[in-house]
Amino acid sequence: MRDAYLVGAGQSAYGAFPEESYRSLFQTAFEEATESVPNGLEASEIDEAVIGTLGVGGRQLGLSGPAVTEYVGLDGVPCTRVENACAASGFAVRQAVQAVKSGMADVVLAGGFEIMTDMSSDATKYWLGVSGETEWERLSGTTFSGVYAQMASVHMEKYGTTREQLSRVAVKNHANGAKNPHAQLGFECSLEDAQSAPVVADPLNLYHCCPTSDGAACALIVSEDVVDEYTDDPIRVAGVGAGSDTVGLFERDSYTGVPASQRAGETAYEMADLEPGDLDFAEVHDCFAIAELLAYEDLGFCEEGEAGPFIESGATELGGELPVNTSGGLKSKGHPIGATGAGQVVEAYKQLSGKAGDRQVDDPVRGLTHNVGGSGGAAVVHIFEREEHSSSKSSSARGARERESEVSA
């Protein structure tokens, strides 16, 4: 099976953009992604596209993938739309990797988009709620903040996790997001601010919850046969893992972990032949502060029940032993549902390419992205590894592809 490589990635800003459409935001992300490829990449070289979106607000529910790919000039390119709630474009990246590894394609675009700020708050809550368990959670009045509040309450009772430790997630991620020009909430907050905010669903307050966002993100995945055409500094997709679980939280045996994340992480580590201690940074799904703490434990960054002390130790801050959510995470960078997973890959690409600016990790080699759908009904993990350039790979493949294209035309 062939290796797959990440050669470019880009995103729009995240926020509220009433003057933009989902197509224009996707175009911004697509152009940034293609322009980020060191040796250049043209739309005509893309073999396939996989697009993640929930379809918030009901816009273009059918054929939403082709609706954005044709807009950026990918006429005739096979396109698949993926929906896995908040993990939609994380799974789009996974499908792009599968297409490349299987030999069905050499260059695949994986991306996602969402418009979430052009509706009333009630309508937004409805569209967020469709990813929850419908009969026994959503229709009985349970919100996602309520579901994650239950997780937080149980974790606090079982392990002694504190509100201050939850608030430290927000302080860290806002500090990182303040260094990210794409972040929706690009400002710092104090620990006092994060602890004294209005309660949303006890014990979670406003600073423990991510915003709703408009945005788009794209990643470009290529095969080992053509990677040399696009970069001299390849970033290999070293590991991929995914898992699913019950959609409803009430159906699970434990509220203090996300089994889908655990399975996804284990599979990705095994494929990459790595351990959590080998990572230099991670982007994890922090839709709520407790979600980041659960991710620390689910992905093996610390022992079960130790996430609170782990965040308190400073280990996950910039300059710590394992910086987490250097982009600002969902909490500060924003959470346009269909774009979030691909947006995490954008940050991984920037970190491993040394292009993360003021939030750059010192000489990273390996990074992980972790994207969760709903309250844990689905999860996907990718591990990316910077590797030395190999001159043994074919340097003439691009010319061969161009000649083949000319013949077929």
Side-chain angles (χ1 to χ4, degrees), residues 44-66:
S44 60
E45 297 172 89
I46 295 173
D47 299 319
E48 191 167 335
V50 190
I51 307 300
T53 182
L54 180 62
V56 169
R59 62 180 55 76
Q60 197 56 51
L61 282 179
L63 296 176
S64 52

Side-chain angles (χ1 to χ4, degrees), residues 339-360:
T340 291
Q344 293 176 324
V345 175
V346 173
E347 181 68 10
Y349 179 75
K350 290 184 177 181
Q351 289 289 349
L352 292 171
S353 302
K355 299 175 182 178
D358 293 340
R359 62 187 190 281
Q360 179 65 53

Side-chain angles (χ1 to χ4, degrees), residues 13-50:
Y14 289 178
F17 306 110
E19 73 284 2
E20 299 280 0
S21 71
Y22 68 96
R23 285 183 168 107
S24 65
L25 288 170
F26 188 84
Q27 182 178 36
T28 297
F30 177 76
E31 290 175 352
E32 184 175 298
T34 53
E35 290 169 4
S36 74
V37 179
N39 298 343
L41 188 149
E42 299 295 329
S44 60
E45 297 172 89
I46 295 173
D47 299 319
E48 191 167 335
V50 190

Side-chain angles (χ1 to χ4, degrees), residues 6 235-237 345 348 352 365-367 369 382-385:
L6 173 66
I235 297 170
R236 187 169 66 94
V237 184
V345 175
L352 292 171
V365 176
R366 301 179 189 93
T369 64
H382 292 88
I383 297 174
F384 300 95
E385 181 177 53

